[in-house]
């Protein structure tokens, strides 16, 4: 999906049409299957993210539901770092583990990849707290096993007699991809727990909700109450402040980030626009000076 959108934005229409035609053919095949995902194993957590996203793109709603339900069936919410959001996976240690055996792998790459559809679905249904809990935990699972010196293992061994990272990286890079394209800070007002920030440090200051952004890229924020999805293609957002009375949003940027321009995307469905006149580039992104320190966003509709 990211490649297709970029091809169209770059004006490479013929290449985009060719890719879309190939993917439609594949999605049509998936549409004819009861459970169009998995791999060589009868129960696997591989491929669901592409089935979900392409079914969504082509409007195959029944396959969206089947795929999402399968993911939620094996990504639990458990108060344990290893199992919370961990996609069910047993077999890859057999083929690619330094310690080779069949056992429940904790935060195999499927955790972060499967978080892509879950968090995408959550942004469509921001009142579904369960989706956020599962998706965010799976996304963070890609980082949970990384050692202090930067080694990323295929997964963590869950046998009580072991409880250690495997010694081979295996497919760890795929899991990190899931984090890299999916990480974001999610800010919600929960009916029981009040204001919360996932991947952020939140403080309430009278009418203001102030959140320090704590993801690696500092480039994606979802303010659920306003359906506001902010992403940067360049530049880092240090803090977001939301005023509950006038619904304004103030963004503070990291001025030490070495970028020629800050490139900010605001989802139109939120109804927010930057206060004052701001230039957009040919991709409809706000193009801001790297010296920009703060921006004010106002809800216009």
């Amino acid at each position: 999906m990211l490649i297709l959108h970029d091809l169209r934005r770059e004006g490479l229409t013929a290449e985009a049409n060719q890719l879309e035609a190939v993917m439609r053919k594949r999605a049509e095949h998936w549409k004819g299957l009861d459970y169009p995902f998995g791999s060589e194993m009868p129960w696997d957590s591989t491929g669901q993210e592409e089935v979900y996203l392409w079914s969504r793109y082509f409007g195959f709603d029944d396959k969206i539901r089947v795929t999402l339900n399968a993911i939620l069936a094996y990504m639990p919410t458990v108060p344990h770092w290893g199992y919370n959001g961990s996609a069910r996976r047993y077999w890859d240690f057999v083929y690619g583990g330094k310690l080779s055996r069949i056992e429940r792998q904790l935060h195999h790459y499927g955790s972060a990849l499967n978080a892509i559809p879950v968090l995408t679905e959550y942004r469509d249904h921001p009142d579904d707290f369960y989706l956020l809990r599962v998706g965010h935990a799976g996304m963070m699972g890609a980082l949970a096993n990384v050692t202090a010196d930067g080694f990323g293992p295929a997964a963590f061994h869950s046998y009580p007699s072991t409880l250690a990272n495997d010694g081979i990286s295996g497919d760890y890079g795929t899991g990190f991809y899931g984090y890299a394209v999916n990480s974001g800070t999610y800010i919600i007002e929960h009916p029981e727990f009040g204001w919360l920030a996932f991947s952020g440090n939140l403080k309430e200051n009278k009418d203001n909700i102030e959140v320090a952004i704590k993801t690696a890229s500092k480039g994606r924020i979802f303010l659920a109450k306003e359906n506001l999805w902010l992403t940067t293609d360049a530049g880092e957002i240090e803090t977001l402040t939301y005023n509950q009375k006038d619904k304004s949003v103030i963004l503070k940027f990291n001025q030490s980030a070495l970028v020629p321009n800050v490139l900010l995307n605001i989802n139109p469905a939120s109804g927010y626009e930057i206060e004052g006149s701001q230039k957009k580039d040919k991709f409809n992104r706000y193009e801001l000076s790297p010296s920009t320190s703060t921006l004010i966003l106002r809800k216009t509709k």
Side-chain angles (χ1 to χ4, degrees):
M1 291 298 300
L2 295 175
I3 294 173
L4 177 64
H5 289 320
D6 281 345
L7 286 172
R8 294 210 185 281
R9 293 203 305 177
E10 293 285 355
L12 299 173
T13 305
E15 292 84 352
N17 290 342
Q18 182 181 8
L19 174 60
E20 183 174 328
V22 172
M23 290 311 303
R24 175 175 280 280
K25 183 177 179 180
R26 181 177 294 182
E28 291 281 1
H29 173 69
W30 292 335
K31 184 181 178 182
L33 301 175
D34 290 336
Y35 303 101
F37 37 75
S39 64
E40 68 276 15
M41 303 301 180
W43 181 303
D44 203 349
S45 52
T46 296
Q48 281 86 339
E49 72 285 348
E50 61 181 320
V51 174
Y52 173 91
L53 289 174
W54 282 99
S55 296
R56 177 186 172 97
Y57 182 79
F58 290 117
F60 301 154
D61 293 344
D62 57 332
K63 293 310 167 209
I64 292 175
R65 300 265 68 79
V66 165
T67 307
L68 183 67
N69 287 340
I71 292 170
L72 294 177
Y74 58 67
M75 286 182 73
T77 51
V78 179
H80 183 285
W81 76 267
Y83 288 92
N84 193 39
S86 184
R88 179 185 174 104
R89 182 64 69 107
Y90 281 91
W91 308 283
D92 282 25
F93 279 156
V94 176
Y95 310 112
K98 189 168 185 178
L99 177 55
S100 178
R101 65 189 180 198
I102 297 176
E103 70 178 301
R104 174 67 182 265
Q105 297 176 273
L106 299 183
H107 291 302
H108 180 276
Y109 71 82
S111 296
L113 291 184
N114 286 183
I116 296 173
V118 177
L119 288 175
T120 300
E121 188 76 12
Y122 170 71
R123 291 192 296 273
D124 283 348
H125 302 90
D127 293 330
D128 194 331
F129 187 49
Y130 185 80
L131 288 175
L132 176 58
R133 291 172 61 201
V134 173
H136 185 269
M139 177 263 291
M140 291 300 295
L143 302 185
N145 297 334
V146 179
T147 63
D149 59 358
F151 173 70
F156 191 89
H157 287 278
S158 65
Y159 272 21
S161 59
T162 305
L163 294 179
N165 280 333
D166 192 70
I168 297 178
S169 60
D171 293 320
Y172 174 77
T174 313
F176 186 75
Y177 166 82
Y179 174 82
V181 302
N182 202 37
S183 65
T185 298
Y186 288 80
I187 305 166
I188 70 167
E189 184 180 22
H190 190 274
E192 181 179 357
F193 305 125
W195 282 97
L196 303 172
F198 286 63
S199 288
N201 292 339
L202 184 147
K203 293 189 299 184
E204 292 189 53
N205 183 10
K206 297 182 180 178
D207 292 326
N208 289 327
I209 305 301
E210 302 171 0
V211 181
I213 310 305
K214 294 298 180 181
T215 55
S217 69
K218 297 184 178 180
R220 299 184 191 93
I221 308 172
F222 185 65
L223 178 59
K225 191 178 183 70
E226 303 296 345
N227 188 31
L228 177 61
W229 180 227
L230 301 169
T231 61
T232 61
D233 291 335
E236 297 178 352
I237 303 172
E238 291 283 353
T239 63
L240 178 148
T241 301
Y242 171 67
N243 185 284
Q244 298 181 74
K245 280 192 173 180
D246 66 12
K247 302 184 183 300
S248 64
V249 172
I250 299 175
L251 303 179
K252 181 180 179 181
F253 290 88
N254 176 13
Q255 291 184 282
S256 65
L258 300 177
V259 295
N261 294 92
V262 174
L263 300 174
L264 176 68
N265 303 286
I266 303 174
N267 64 319
S270 68
Y272 275 86
E273 293 182 2
I274 296 176
E275 185 176 74
S277 59
Q278 295 290 339
K279 183 176 68 172
K280 289 188 179 182
D281 67 9
K282 65 178 182 178
F283 302 127
N284 206 36
R285 300 173 300 198
Y286 288 98
E287 187 174 354
L288 311 167
S289 165
S291 63
T292 300
S293 59
T294 60
L295 278 181
I296 299 176
L297 277 60
R298 300 283 184 187
K299 200 171 181 82
T300 60
K301 59 181 178 179

